[in-house]
Amino acid sequence: MTSESPAARRFLDLATRPLEGNAELHLAARGDLARRIASSPAATEEVLDEASKRLEAADGNRRGRRAMTAFSVLAVCMVLVWLVTTATRLVLALQALNAIGGPFGSAFTEPARYFAYPSITDARTRLLLFGDESSTEEAAKWRPLWESEPSNKAYFANYVGAWNLSHGNVSDALLEQAATIDPGNGWYLALASGSRLDDTVLEKRKPSNAAAKAGERTEYKILNESEYAIALELFFRSAENPDFSDRSRDLYQERVAHLPHADDVASNLRNVAYAAGQKSSVAQMRRLVDMISHEANRSVLADDEDAFRRTVRAWRWFVERFNRSGSTLVDGLVLKVILSAPLRNFHDAATHFGMAEDAAFFDELHAEFEAERVARRESVNPDSERIHAKGSLITSLAAPMIGRQVKSPPLIDDADLKPGRLADHALAGRLLTGMTALLLVLVAATAVAVRYRHGAFSRKLSERMILLLHPGDWLVMGLLGVVLPLAWFLVVTRLSPLSFRDWNPKFAGGIPLLGQWGALAVLVFTASASAAGWRLDRRLRFLGPMPKSALFGFAAVVCAALAVPAFGAIPIDSDNGGRIALWVGAGLGGAVALWWLAGLFSIAIGYPGNGVLRRVAISRLLVPLWLAGALVFAGFSYQQSLEERHWVKRDTLMGFSPEAVGLSRYEGDVTEQLRKELGEVIARLPEM
């Protein structure tokens, strides 16, 4: 068809209408389009008539530009709000993880407001959880809680512990009150005894490791006879009581029952951080070991067998009651020290008094503890590697260390590890999808700038050309450019073994996680650009055939799609340390990068010819397409938040639970196992 036919002239008039104000550009555009029509066999009268109708319909609809502006503003605002919210939750999670011993140092300090639970407004509940928040001194902070219920044993014991932390002792007045409020409980007397045994009362000189192996014992020297005598008398008095408990278990369960329900990783770790931050006076009990050991030595020097027997009986009573009442793993570990530390001194004393059977028992038990200590230091838990590889961040940090405290740690299977790991991945996915959405917005803004690179001719003419696309074209571009890449990503990461979700987020340096998410982002950009070029070429085929360079775009899409499973194969490629899978993924990503660099280079140098109009038109199509993609990824990020909550509720291994005795179910199980193991040892102790 010639450019002078009625159908061609009508199309040329409509297509170049925006350039009528500039005669030179108008003639140039009209001439360029006329040459294209004349040389294209696809430029039939029916095709040109349909194109003219599309342009006329678009000219009658002036609301499109305003709608596009409103859509752009909405997309940007939604993406920014969601990204800030997600980033905040991630930072809070890292701060909470750091508060309970995480590896981030001062990079993530605790935000006081969030960790003070601002949602809790009831004054009685805040008093229970935080005491008097206007006070920084422990005793003054917790006295109001006790005064709110003076007869509450748990509140009183909590105040006595706080007083001890503040003043380093337990006053006589408090001991008198303990006899009334909590009669028969030897814990107060034992705490008072231990708090008096500081370095000004009893001096200890430990031998070197070599000397200790040669049989040299720790030497003790009393520096304050009167204080030491009081501490010793308090300890023996404590052993005359039928009960021994710091009531912390009751208070702990009452407190955690008032904490807000954890519905995501950050709030779960906040509750764990609160529980881990509860202060305890159990360290004061550790000082009793020195006094017990010294009393065994003194009985030998005084040749007083009755004093030795009395010391062992009191020690046995103490460890037996302590094991029954201890509520935390720390209590159990302190008890293990109190149980094992005096054994060599007891052996020497029993030998001195001719108690051969007891001496042999103490020596055997000491050897058992030493063998366990060496085994714990040198042995490698076969499950540790699996826990590090497949557990959540907090599980991989805490579970191996906790499990090493007992001879037979509770078994952890893959089903136990899965919820915590997937909750971490969901939180990471929230951030990464939000960042992808933000990147789509930023690149869309860059695409807007591209149209101004080649002047008014291409800018105005390309604006008319994209009006020739049908609504179905936009739907196809959205499906091929955004929805299908996301669906492919979900198939690979949810339904195949080539998924980063099967591994700890930081496994292999986080490369599987970041590699697959990065490949998804690249795939979306590449597929959307190729889809936009394909649909544009299809609608403008009457202006010339599709350029051969467009075929490279389809090849780039295939490379980006294959990079998703390639990065997921890194953990599976264990025989080669993941190097082959890493290089394959990097190579595929590099091929896509070359395609993009070639396109950007052609834009930068302004390569003349038919490609300019096509590139500018594609950049116009990509702006709404990428903004719509940003909204899709923002929605996917919201779905990730729902998934995070789903898995947090199902994490029964390291998730915080008010029913657990400890910071988690697993710590509670280990605590119970330690109590059982220590109980078996205590049951073997001689009666004396």
Side-chain angles (χ1 to χ4, degrees), residues 258-411:
H258 286 82
L259 293 178
H261 179 71
D263 56 2
D264 61 7
V265 172
S267 57
N268 177 67
L269 290 177
R270 176 177 65 169
N271 287 347
V272 173
Y274 172 83
Q278 300 302 296
K279 296 183 178 180
S280 172
S281 300
V282 69
Q284 304 285 26
M285 301 296 186
R286 170 67 178 81
R287 297 178 180 177
L288 294 174
V289 175
D290 298 330
M291 183 177 67
I292 294 169
S293 300
H294 183 52
E295 282 303 299
N297 296 344
R298 286 217 304 176
S299 67
V300 172
L301 294 175
D303 197 23
D304 189 342
E305 182 177 338
D306 289 338
F308 171 60
R309 291 180 177 275
R310 183 188 183 196
T311 299
V312 175
R313 284 197 301 270
W315 167 74
R316 174 175 178 144
W317 174 92
F318 180 77
V319 295
E320 188 176 276
R321 297 303 193 278
F322 198 170
N323 192 44
R324 291 179 187 174
S325 65
S327 59
T328 68
L329 183 60
V330 174
D331 290 342
L333 296 177
V334 170
L335 174 59
K336 181 182 282 190
V337 173
I338 296 174
L339 181 59
S340 61
L343 292 175
R344 300 178 76 185
N345 304 84
F346 289 170
H347 165 267
D348 294 345
T351 301
H352 174 79
F353 293 116
M355 304 163 62
E357 184 176 345
D358 292 327
F361 171 80
F362 290 131
D363 189 51
E364 178 186 346
L365 187 57
H366 172 73
E368 288 180 13
F369 277 113
E370 281 297 301
E372 179 189 342
R373 182 179 62 83
V374 172
R376 186 170 61 250
R377 184 178 66 243
E378 297 179 353
S379 65
V380 177
N381 188 339
D383 277 345
S384 294
E385 184 175 347
R386 181 173 59 88
I387 292 172
H388 280 291
K390 291 184 172 289
S392 65
L393 288 174
I394 189 172
T395 301
S396 62
L397 284 171
M401 178 182 64
I402 293 173
R404 290 178 60 202
Q405 307 309 318
V406 292
K407 299 176 184 177
S408 303
L411 296 178

Side-chain angles (χ1 to χ4, degrees), residues 189 192-204 220-236 287-299 301 307 311:
L189 295 169
S193 174
S195 64
R196 289 178 178 271
L197 296 171
D198 58 20
D199 294 338
T200 64
V201 176
L202 184 63
E203 184 181 66
K204 177 174 65 173
Y220 299 95
K221 180 180 180 182
I222 299 175
L223 302 179
N224 189 323
E225 288 284 356
S226 60
E227 282 293 311
Y228 182 86
I230 294 173
L232 182 62
E233 188 256 341
L234 288 170
F235 176 66
F236 284 131
R287 297 178 180 177
L288 294 174
V289 175
D290 298 330
M291 183 177 67
I292 294 169
S293 300
H294 183 52
E295 282 303 299
N297 296 344
R298 286 217 304 176
S299 67
L301 294 175
T311 299

Side-chain angles (χ1 to χ4, degrees), residues 140 209 239 327 346 378 430 466 517 557 572 635 640:
N209 291 335
S327 59
F346 289 170
E378 297 179 353
R430 287 178 62 182
I466 66 172
W517 277 107
V557 172
I572 298 177
Q640 293 280 286

